[in-house]
């Protein structure tokens, strides 16, 4: 059993250089004096305060810290007050703005003209004053000027006296916009740290600096894997933490059977050394990402800084793994929500340096605050094939077939599903995880010695099965010549198979690796979601990133902010939310998405 006394909840912290992005609330108003503006001052500011309250009470930053909303010092009736608001927002690091109004205002005079902010406008649906008329007018101005904004308009007419009582449909759009806008803002100015180079010819690990810079606002940093060897040999890590981390690992990470042929197995002494190396790798990669002030005690001021990396990738195969232990333990423990320091926000590390799948993981983390599962999209198992191999006729969630998600690398052990939400299997943001839940996740994992056919240097791979019944979303970002980035999204559920069925199927791949049995939600209609086979057949790469929950709609909203078209998804049309700019590019949502993204170009170009 895991020692849950070591799994204390850590307070949220900002690991990265730069202040957290803030939300700016812009209360706009009819500028006419002598009774018109004066009659609207109170209700307009009430709208702004209600929106701020909704946001701060329902959302957090992905690292768990509270969100700060900054409200303009006055209502905005014209250019001078709009400029004063912009000046305040610039000083306060506002990167996402929500304009609110119950009335007519002067569109191009009151709008947010800052090209670097992410924008939405809420026009109150009431007949006392024409807030909806302003909404339409200012969105037209945004579209004409190429500064896209999300429109928020309630379905039902409300009484003016109830303007601050935000209806549920408006709440949903505000929260979706803020969540996605913050995700985009979080990436800006951070780094992707590529440790090593291209793994086994995988295209996703060919780091494309133009994509990161122009679409995400990130910089690329590069470190050769030999840097880990230097830090091993020169002890460039906290030796005190290393001793504590190793003791915790040996106590809480139970070792499973070694599947290698007896005559090829490493000695126990070599396995003990492998554990030491694996723990050091985790410490060193974390320090490379975010730095470690403790290194200053050794006069290692440069190494103490890190690379301000919100995302990293580790090449591993084969230049590393033909000699050194694989990166599985390092990747798993960093991607998970707990380690020897307790329960904390996950780091995001892509196996095989697949930065594109790393970005997919990063999107999921920034939208949910929870750990991500990295996996090969390995095998489609049809119902007929399952029955032929195992003798069991698939039923329930497996009735239409399954996709076997399995890989040696960075599947966070949160993905075991041993955490609980409303009594059901789940994985959650770290601030909601109890020590008992973290301990249950650790207990559900068997650490298996690396397959020496793949990993000549050994290592320890996590072996677990994700509990069935969890709503999940699989995502993948791909780069396509002549097109640029495109995003794929598949919502579905995890599935639990009978033990004997899982064992027979698992043994055909590698029983030392973690498994998630995934049943995407299918439509039965022509296209990539006609059936489970079609999902697998249309997936654009060998990897996918899996988030807890059905967050496909938020991913579509985030993609529109970043000007990345979505080429494949199974999100119902009523949940799709993009800026009003997209409406001008045709009535089919997929085509308009491509045309709008192409017309606007990358967010940071």
């Amino acid at each position: 059993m895991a020692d849950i006394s070591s799994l204390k909840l850590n307070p949220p912290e900002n690991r990265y250089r730069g202040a957290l992005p803030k939300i700016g609330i812009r209360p706009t108003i009819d500028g006419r004096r002598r009774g018109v503006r004066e009659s609207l001052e109170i209700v307009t500011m009430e709208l702004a305060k209600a929106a701020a309250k909704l946001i701060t009470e329902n959302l957090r930053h992905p690292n768990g810290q509270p969100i700060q909303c900054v409200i303009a010092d006055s209502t905005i009736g014209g250019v001078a007050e709009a400029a004063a608001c912009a000046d305040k927002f610039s000083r306060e690091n506002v990167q996402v703005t929500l304009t609110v109004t119950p009335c007519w205002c002067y569109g191009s005079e009151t709008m947010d003209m800052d090209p670097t902010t992410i924008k939405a406008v809420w026009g109150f649906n009431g007949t006392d004053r024409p807030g909806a008329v302003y909404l339409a007018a200012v969105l037209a101005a945004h579209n004409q000027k190429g500064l896209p904004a999300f429109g928020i308009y309630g379905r039902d007419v409300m009484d003016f006296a109830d303007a601050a009582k935000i209806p549920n449909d408006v709440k949903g759009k505000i929260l979706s916009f803020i969540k996605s806008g913050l995700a985009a803002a979080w990436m800006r100015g951070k780094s992707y740290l590529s440790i090593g180079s291209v793994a086994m010819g995988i295209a996703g690990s060919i780091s494309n600096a133009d994509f990161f810079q122009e679409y995400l606002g990130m910089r690329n940093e590069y470190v050769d894997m030999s840097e880990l060897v230097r830090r091993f040999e020169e002890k460039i890590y906290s030796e005190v933490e290393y001793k504590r981390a190793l003791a915790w690992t040996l106590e809480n990470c139970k070792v499973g059977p070694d599947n290698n042929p007896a005559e090829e197995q490493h000695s126990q002494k070599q396995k003990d050394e492998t554990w030491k190396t694996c723990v050091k790798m985790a410490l060193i990669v974390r320090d490379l990402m975010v730095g470690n002030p403790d290194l200053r005690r050794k006069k290692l001021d440069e190494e103490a800084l890190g690379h301000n990396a919100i995302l990293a990738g580790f090449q591993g195969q084969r230049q590393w793994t033909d000699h050194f232990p694989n990166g599985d333990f390092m990747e798993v423990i960093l991607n998970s929500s707990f380690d020897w320091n307790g329960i904390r926000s996950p780091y995001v590390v892509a196996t095989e340096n697949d930065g594109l799948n790393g970005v997919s993981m990063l999107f999921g983390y920034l939208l949910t605050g929870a750990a991500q599962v990295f996996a090969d999209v390995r095998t489609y198992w049809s119902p007929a094939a399952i029955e032929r191999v195992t003798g069991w006729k698939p039923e329930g969630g497996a009735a239409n077939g399954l996709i076997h998600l399995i890989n040696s690398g960075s599947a966070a052990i949160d993905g075991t599903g041993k955490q609980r939400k409303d009594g059901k299997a789940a994985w959650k943001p770290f601030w909601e995880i109890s020590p008992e839940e973290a301990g249950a996740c650790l207990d559900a994992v068997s650490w298996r010695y690396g397959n020496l056919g793949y990993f000549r240097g050994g290592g320890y791979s996590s072996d677990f099965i994700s509990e069935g019944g969890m709503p999940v979303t699989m995502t993948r970002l791909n780069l396509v010549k002549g097109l640029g980035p495109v995003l794929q999204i598949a919502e579905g559920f995890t599935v639990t198979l009978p033990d004997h069925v899982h064992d027979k199927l698992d043994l055909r791949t590698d029983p030392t690796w973690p498994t998630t049995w995934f049943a995407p939600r299918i439509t039965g209609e022509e296209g990539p979601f006609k059936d489970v086979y079609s999902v697998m057949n249309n997936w654009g790469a060998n990897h996918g990133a899996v988030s807890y929950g059905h967050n496909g709609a938020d991913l579509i909203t985030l993609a529109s902010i970043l000007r990345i078209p979505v080429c494949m998804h199974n999100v119902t049309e009523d949940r799709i939310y993009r800026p009003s700019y997209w409406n001008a590019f045709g009535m089919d949502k997929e085509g308009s998405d491509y045309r709008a993204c192409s017309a606007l170009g990358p967010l940071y170009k």
Side-chain angles (χ1 to χ4, degrees), residues 101-104 121-126 128-136 153:
T101 190
C103 58
W104 167 254
V121 183
W122 172 27
F124 177 72
N125 184 4
D128 305 64
R129 299 279 184 172
V133 178
Y134 169 70
L135 175 63
Y153 179 54

Side-chain angles (χ1 to χ4, degrees), residues 151-165:
I152 302 172
Y153 179 54
R155 177 172 293 275
D156 298 316
V157 174
M158 295 179 64
D159 296 332
F160 208 54
D162 294 330
K165 296 178 181 178

Side-chain angles (χ1 to χ4, degrees), residues 272-291:
D272 292 342
E273 289 301 313
T274 295
W275 264 131
K276 294 176 183 178
T277 301
C278 290
V279 171
K280 290 175 186 175
M281 288 172 68
L283 293 171
I284 289 168
V285 169
R286 181 204 63 194
D287 291 353
L288 283 167
M289 291 179 71
V290 300

